[in-house]
Amino acid sequence: MTVTEPVRQQLLIGGRWTDAEDGRTYEQTFPYTGETVGEAASASKADAGAAVDAAQDAFPGWATTNPGQRRAILNRAAD
């Protein structure tokens, strides 16, 4: 398998894609070949705290969302 275009992944916090607050990333490799396939944001403690805060803020609305809508939201995030 050969990857032609490296992937750059960000953090999803509060419904927004963002870089790590300190800008750090790590290299992602394909385990079979060792080929570099991209880089991803390396979350800091501050990023994790922001994600927890955002999840707590979103919970009341999420708890009342029907399963079909939840599935659509999660699928969109995964894409």
Side-chain angles (χ1 to χ4, degrees), residues 17-71:
W17 292 104
T18 183
D19 292 329
E21 58 94 23
D22 61 7
R24 290 182 359 153
T25 62
Y26 63 93
E27 188 176 85
Q28 296 175 310
T29 57
F30 184 56
Y32 183 71
T33 64
E35 176 184 10
T36 299
V37 294
E39 68 177 12
S42 183
S44 67
K45 191 173 185 177
D47 294 316
V52 169
D53 292 344
Q56 288 173 330
D57 291 344
F59 181 75
W62 184 255
T64 60
T65 303
N66 76 51
Q69 290 172 313
R70 290 182 191 179
R71 181 180 60 243

Side-chain angles (χ1 to χ4, degrees), residues 17 74-79:
W17 292 104
L74 292 172
N75 282 337
R76 215 172 41 234
D79 286 342

